[in-house]
Amino acid sequence: MKTFRCGDVVPGCTAAFHGSDDEILGAVGRHATADHGITTITPELVSAVREHMVPAA
């Protein structure tokens, strides 16, 4: 189980996600499109998200 905070990649965003790597990546992809208007999920974005995932407390 891991946690990712969107604000670690997109300053000012307060969204947070919890789950497996795949669950977080799916949720973040939907969030990026719906809330940040990102229509193309690039390998760089996926890498940034993976780098900022941390074990859940």
Side-chain angles (χ1 to χ4, degrees):
M1 204 53 109
K2 293 186 179 177
T3 298
F4 169 74
R5 297 187 189 287
C6 189
D8 291 341
V9 175
V10 179
C13 185
T14 59
F17 305 89
H18 310 279
S20 69
D21 287 15
D22 288 341
E23 290 169 334
I24 290 173
L25 289 172
V28 169
R30 292 185 295 276
H31 167 72
T33 299
D35 297 320
H36 297 299
I38 297 171
T39 57
T40 302
I41 306 300
T42 64
E44 293 81 12
L45 180 58
V46 172
S47 271
V49 171
R50 285 189 184 278
E51 289 173 14
H52 289 89
M53 285 184 195
V54 296

